[in-house]
Amino acid sequence: MRTLIYEDDLAAAAALAAVHTSSAGRVYNVSDGTPHRLSEIIDAIALALGRRPPRWHVPVAPVRAALRVGSMIDRRLPSMLDKYQEAAAVDASRIRRELGFQPATDLVDGWRRTVERMRREGRL
């Protein structure tokens, strides 16, 4: 599971923490508040790109075996799979509870807006 935050929501959270009187010396995790499975994130990205989500998945065991062989060329390869698979979810309840922060952008809309911006900028 992973938590994400859209860039405008992150900026809003930072601005809120900067001016809120009770935030001095506090550390806040910021997220959209929803832990997402990696498959949900991939589906949202595919939707934003106007593509079909992948219909098949490769089992981890054969990929790990191939990366072990590939590690003879680049020893970082197995750890890259670990990084891809690791959970990266944070608890953002403190900023919601203490400062009243509420993200405005959900997973699907965040990826849609990101892809639109990247296309306008010529990066896609």
Side-chain angles (χ1 to χ4, degrees):
M1 300 297 267
R2 294 169 184 252
T3 49
L4 302 174
I5 185 77
Y6 182 65
E7 62 188 343
D8 289 351
D9 289 334
L10 178 60
L16 178 63
V19 300
H20 205 284
T21 56
S22 66
S23 65
R26 306 288 285 167
V27 175
Y28 297 99
N29 291 322
V30 183
S31 80
D32 67 0
T34 304
H36 304 283
R37 291 186 322 273
L38 191 54
S39 62
E40 291 175 274
I41 297 168
I42 292 168
D43 289 352
I45 294 168
L47 181 65
L49 291 168
R51 308 226 171 154
R52 261 191 272 185
R55 290 182 286 190
W56 55 274
H57 302 277
V58 178
V60 173
V63 172
R64 188 168 302 285
L67 291 176
R68 275 196 298 275
V69 171
S71 70
M72 290 184 270
I73 297 167
D74 185 339
R75 67 175 186 259
R76 297 172 297 172
L77 289 174
S79 65
M80 293 167 87
L81 179 61
D82 294 337
K83 184 73 174 165
Y84 181 73
Q85 288 189 290
E86 77 182 2
V90 300
D91 178 2
S93 62
R94 176 188 277 179
I95 194 167
R96 288 175 179 217
R97 183 177 63 253
E98 293 181 6
L99 307 185
F101 172 72
Q102 289 294 333
T105 312
D106 66 16
L107 178 72
V108 171
D109 193 42
W111 280 110
R112 180 190 56 76
R113 291 171 64 186
T114 298
V115 166
E116 286 173 359
R117 186 191 75 245
M118 291 178 75
R119 284 186 172 140
R120 278 194 312 272
E121 295 171 355
R123 295 192 292 154
L124 274 183

